[in-house]
Amino acid sequence: MADFNSHLTRRRLVQTGAVASALAASTCVRQQAFGQSTDTDPEMDEARLAARSTFANQLTLAVQINETGPYQFVVDTAAEQTVLADDVASRLGLRAGRMVIMRGLSHSVPAQTVNVKKLALGPFTHKDLNLPVLPKTLLGADGYLGLDIISNSRITFDFGKRNIRIERPRFSPQRIYSPRTARIQATGSAGRLRITDCRVDGVIAAAIIDSGAELSMGNIALRNALVARHGHRPDLGPVVLTGVTGGDITGRLMPINRIRMQDLIFSDCAVAIAEISLFESWSLSQKPALLVGMDFLRQFRAVSIDFRAQEIRFELATAPPNPKPVVEIVRA
């Protein structure tokens, strides 16, 4: 059995009662492709695909597999490997390949890979993919699109128009952006973009945009740094999270007064503190780090990630769907 050690740690909130109420008050509520090739119509630079929401508040778009579908895939900007639901693989009679190990939120599981001859997102196609298969009951969707598919593109989550736009980045003259748009520079390679100019209540931290996560999270190193700087931190109680490989992990919900990423500020918010494998796989276990999940991202009209330019754009909504977290742009 190959020790592939894929990281796909999607978080879904499963706790109810007092903790869920606290969360509502505060937020109002990886992996590589094998044998991938890509064909794209040179006349087509963009695909606009209608988006749907899963029960975990993620966004899905329609994907064609081997000329069949559509199938609804979650777009996951922090997972390196695209995965497929078991019922889709069975329905299509896909040829089985080698076994790999998928390391999830709390434990690792073996996963069978299957060969996909063609995966298409509008005019963008990827051929000859060997994708791990996980249970549909855990994925909550027909599959997850990871960085192996999207890391050479610009992807925009347009919450205002309820669509996802995938573009092939091209050089363009310098644009003048609206005062309601923040442009944040990131660093990284192979799609692993992180915002290093981030401060969480004054603590320097790395921030990752994680569209596959329902809930924003911080690691233990972030909590320890906040305690060292400010002393005791309030605790809003336990929050139980479950991953797509099964198993639960319990974190602690912690209020945050202010998160600043260059010109962008989140205030009056909360994050779940837990040590998940994604922090380790991104070499962030020992450094303060933050995963920005859908509870924060949905506050904007649109969020655009340009993997080639290593730039993330946040466009403020005229009326955010929830009162918290508060989001604003403050120019230096």
Side-chain angles (χ1 to χ4, degrees):
M1 181 183 297
D3 186 11
F4 183 47
N5 278 332
S6 293
H7 297 276
L8 194 72
T9 53
R10 305 304 84 217
R11 275 79 59 206
R12 300 194 188 100
L13 179 66
V14 297
Q15 184 72 12
T16 58
V19 172
S21 298
L23 178 63
S26 60
T27 62
C28 291
V29 214
R30 297 177 167 38
Q31 311 115 347
Q32 66 189 51
F34 308 119
Q36 174 183 319
S37 63
T38 305
D39 290 336
T40 305
D41 183 341
E43 300 302 319
M44 298 295 291
D45 293 327
E46 174 182 314
R48 291 175 184 260
L49 303 170
R52 297 182 183 178
S53 295
T54 69
F55 77 94
N57 221 22
Q58 303 144 312
L59 284 185
T60 68
L61 52 72
V63 172
Q64 296 282 332
I65 298 176
N66 293 352
E67 309 291 352
T68 70
Y71 301 99
Q72 292 298 316
F73 275 56
V74 172
V75 181
D76 192 338
T77 57
E80 295 169 29
Q81 174 64 52
T82 297
V83 298
L84 187 65
D86 55 358
D87 66 329
V88 176
S90 176
R91 190 184 319 156
L92 296 179
L94 299 178
R95 179 171 59 84
R98 66 184 176 117
M99 297 293 292
V100 297
I101 297 296
M102 300 292 289
R103 187 164 65 179
L105 201 66
S106 60
H107 66 285
S108 300
V109 298
Q112 181 78 62
T113 62
V114 294
N115 182 259
V116 171
K117 297 299 183 185
K118 182 179 180 180
L119 184 151
L121 308 168
F124 302 102
T125 63
H126 300 259
K127 295 182 177 180
D128 194 23
L129 303 173
N130 292 309
L131 303 181
V133 174
L134 290 174
K136 174 71 166 287
T137 53
L138 293 175
L139 291 177
D142 294 323
Y144 274 70
L145 287 178
L147 294 175
D148 54 333
I149 297 295
I150 65 175
S151 64
N152 287 321
S153 65
R154 180 191 300 120
I155 185 161
T156 299
F157 301 92
D158 193 324
F159 299 105
K161 296 180 180 178
R162 296 190 60 80
N163 66 44
I164 297 177
R165 186 165 68 252
I166 300 175
E167 302 168 83
R168 180 171 49 200
R170 292 180 180 273
F171 173 79
S172 58
Q174 185 68 31
R175 290 180 55 186
I176 298 177
Y177 290 93
S178 161
R180 298 184 61 80
T181 299
R183 299 171 60 205
I184 307 298
Q185 291 300 313
T187 62
S189 60
R192 290 185 167 199
L193 297 186
R194 64 186 72 183
I195 302 166
T196 56
D197 186 9
C198 173
R199 290 182 180 268
V200 181
D201 282 346
V203 169
I204 297 175
I208 299 168
I209 304 301
D210 189 351
S211 63
E214 173 192 7
L215 185 63
S216 297
M217 299 185 65
N219 62 1
I220 301 299
L222 175 61
R223 183 199 63 187
N224 292 344
L226 287 168
V227 170
R229 183 181 181 92
H230 301 287
H232 174 73
R233 300 291 296 183
D235 186 334
L236 299 178
V239 56
V240 181
L241 307 157
T242 186
V244 297
T245 62
D248 298 333
I249 189 169
T250 300
R252 307 296 301 187
L253 198 64
M254 183 178 68
I256 300 292
N257 294 320
R258 177 185 171 101
I259 299 171
R260 179 157 189 168
M261 303 176 190
Q262 298 170 33
D263 293 338
L264 181 65
I265 293 177
F266 298 91
S267 56
D268 200 3
C269 48
V271 299
I273 300 296
E275 203 60 57
I276 61 172
S277 62
L278 189 144
F279 290 122
E280 180 182 354
S281 70
W282 286 52
S283 300
L284 290 172
S285 290
Q286 306 304 314
K287 303 174 183 177
L290 174 72
L291 300 180
V292 180
M294 293 301 289
D295 55 332
F296 282 27
L297 300 181
R298 282 185 177 273
Q299 292 293 84
F300 297 92
R301 194 198 75 79
V303 176
S304 178
I305 304 174
D306 190 325
F307 290 98
R308 289 188 181 178
Q310 298 189 331
E311 179 184 271
I312 305 165
R313 297 198 299 267
F314 297 84
E315 183 179 341
L316 295 178
T318 303
N322 298 309
K324 299 177 182 178
V326 176
V327 294
E328 59 182 323
I329 297 172
V330 179
R331 306 297 182 188

